[in-house]
Amino acid sequence: MTDAELRERALKVVPGGMYGHLNAAIFAPGYPQFFQRGEGCRQWDVDGREYIDFMCSWGPVVLGHRHPRVEEAAARQLALGDCLNGPGPIMVELAELLVDTVPSADWAMFSKNGTDATTQALMVARAATGRTKVLMAHGAYHGADPWCTPSPAGTTPNERADLVEFTYNSLESLEAAAATVEGDVAAIICTPFKHDSFEDQELVEPAFARGARALADRLGAALVIDDVRAGFRIDLRGSWEPYGVRPDLTAWSKAMANGYPIAAVTGTDALRGPAQTLYTTGSFWFSAVAMAAAKATIETLRDTDGIAAMERAGTQLREGLYAQAKSHGFVVNQTGPVTIPWLSFDGDADLSTALYWSDACLRHGVYLHPWHNWFMSAAHTEQDVARALEGTDQAFAETRTHFA
Ligand code: PMP
């Protein structure tokens, strides 16, 4: 069954054939929608085309597809049972591992998706403070529930009424936002760096991170780090730990279990009581297989220094792309941590160059994205990146010819 045939069938039985951010219909016709398999840092689409993958399934695959230690842990748990009448011992083991790994964590609660975790973190903050308002950065993505989805379709204004926006990295703007809802701030929610789609990424200013911490303390509000996208690719201890800033609550998901579905909120002792008062649950939240995969993933990242491997590969990719862009006469911006990279073309407001280049990359066996950040995995070896750079070089050459 080809990609084209599957799309045609999907159109009849799935709204739009595909919905959400994975909808490939907006791209050039050859852009794959359906995938057959993955192995290490490679994926194959249903038409049999092989790609060196720099999206890593949009973040979850951090050790490479079908990593033996993770697959073995998952299979061992699957043989015992996955969805039982209650969690397995693995839930306690995983919570202990998070508490041991993350200095701001005294407890953990589990769910399935990043949106579950951000939503649950805000519930804990509201339960703790008895307040309603949440300060969030303008344009930040915290998930797809009605309170945070970027599209208003199907939601009511009421569902967003308790959000007050500030400008990322501007302490002045954060303080001004707080002042408009004086006395009613339950939480400040913040991603560890600015990774909004369609824009160059922006690392956090350490003074902003420290200022947000101090403001939350002064207001008696919770500082929530949404580490769903960046977690386990910057610092296993939490992405603001290098700045010495510890949140009250952290939302985790994506890379936590190398592709198995799981999310978590971790929090401090002070919030344990309020967390206990919530009614929050889900039919599949306590499935043991994903928990076993999460434990194996975090232990493997720790034991093999997986983040250092991603940093090496990410640096090689960034340096290679800069050199190639220059030699083909392009000015490009590469922003964000090297483990969560992105490239934009200077002066490419309508993204036409990025769209053409990323499509050319696909044709040369390199899967990346024109308007969303990419993800490195610990499975990207020096040889893999070198092979990918051959593809990107040809893509730059074709892009130059196309726009000449
Ligand atoms: N927060 C951030 C920062 C994210 O990047 C995402 C997912 N892209 C989410 C929350 C929501 O996660 P999920 O799609 O698993 O619900």
Side-chain angles (χ1 to χ4, degrees), residues 54-137:
F54 292 108
M55 286 308 283
C56 294
S57 312
W58 296 67
V61 176
V62 70
L63 293 168
H65 293 273
R66 296 167 33 78
H67 188 276
R69 187 163 161 190
V70 177
E71 294 310 308
E72 214 175 272
R76 219 177 310 121
Q77 182 59 55
L78 189 59
L80 296 171
D82 181 19
C83 194
L84 304 170
N85 282 343
I90 187 67
M91 182 173 98
V92 183
E93 293 167 27
L94 178 58
E96 286 170 348
L97 177 63
L98 284 171
V99 167
D100 287 345
T101 308
V102 178
S104 65
D106 294 315
W107 52 262
M109 292 168 86
F110 299 103
S111 53
K112 279 291 152 205
N113 288 285
T115 311
D116 298 335
T118 53
T119 303
Q120 202 174 47
L122 297 187
M123 287 171 75
V124 174
R126 287 178 170 130
T129 58
R131 302 178 190 165
T132 52
K133 303 297 182 197
V134 170
L135 312 184
M136 69 166 270

Side-chain angles (χ1 to χ4, degrees), residues 286-315:
F286 306 100
S287 307
V289 169
M291 292 185 177
K295 181 164 177 270
T297 300
I298 297 166
E299 286 174 344
T300 304
L301 284 167
R302 180 194 66 198
D303 298 346
T304 62
D305 204 350
I307 291 179
M310 286 185 263
E311 283 170 347
R312 280 193 298 277
T315 302

Side-chain angles (χ1 to χ4, degrees), residues 68-274:
R69 187 163 161 190
V70 177
E71 294 310 308
E72 214 175 272
R76 219 177 310 121
Q77 182 59 55
L78 189 59
L80 296 171
D82 181 19
C83 194
L84 304 170
N85 282 343
I90 187 67
M91 182 173 98
V92 183
E93 293 167 27
L94 178 58
E96 286 170 348
L97 177 63
L98 284 171
V99 167
D100 287 345
T101 308
V102 178
S104 65
D106 294 315
W107 52 262
M109 292 168 86
F110 299 103
S111 53
K112 279 291 152 205
N113 288 285
T115 311
D116 298 335
T118 53
T119 303
Q120 202 174 47
L122 297 187
M123 287 171 75
V124 174
R126 287 178 170 130
T129 58
R131 302 178 190 165
T132 52
K133 303 297 182 197
V134 170
L135 312 184
M136 69 166 270
H138 178 72
Y141 188 75
H142 295 298
D145 269 1
W147 75 266
C148 52
T149 178
S151 160
T155 71
T156 69
N158 276 350
E159 285 165 318
R160 301 185 70 92
D162 292 322
L163 300 175
V164 183
E165 293 190 340
F166 62 86
T167 303
Y168 197 92
N169 264 339
S170 166
L171 207 47
E172 200 179 26
S173 153
L174 179 61
E175 281 172 359
T180 64
V181 286
E182 189 76 54
D184 197 22
V185 181
I188 300 170
I189 187 167
C190 207
T191 56
F193 68 98
K194 187 169 183 284
H195 49 48
D196 308 349
S197 294
F198 300 101
E199 287 176 21
D200 285 341
Q201 307 194 90
E202 201 178 307
L203 297 180
V204 72
E205 299 286 346
F208 176 78
R210 285 193 284 270
R213 175 67 278 173
L215 180 65
D217 289 341
R218 203 164 78 229
L219 298 172
L223 178 63
V224 181
I225 295 299
D226 177 356
D227 228 337
V228 169
R229 193 176 309 183
F232 307 104
R233 276 192 173 84
I234 292 178
D235 191 310
L236 290 187
R237 303 169 302 167
S239 297
W240 277 5
E241 191 64 25
Y243 307 108
V245 177
R246 291 195 180 153
D248 301 297
L249 295 159
T250 307
W252 310 88
S253 185
K254 287 197 186 281
M256 196 173 155
N258 204 43
Y260 285 83
I262 191 164
V265 173
T266 56
T268 59
D269 258 331
L271 294 171
R272 189 190 297 267

Side-chain angles (χ1 to χ4, degrees), residues 19-64:
Y19 44 90
H21 66 299
L22 297 182
N23 189 343
I26 55 166
F27 293 114
Y31 200 96
Q33 177 71 81
F34 293 95
F35 285 82
Q36 195 68 269
R37 69 186 183 96
E39 186 79 44
C41 69
R42 285 172 167 76
Q43 287 198 40
W44 287 261
D45 68 20
V46 291
D47 293 330
R49 293 183 298 175
E50 175 181 327
Y51 306 101
I52 297 182
D53 174 26
F54 292 108
M55 286 308 283
C56 294
S57 312
W58 296 67
V61 176
V62 70
L63 293 168

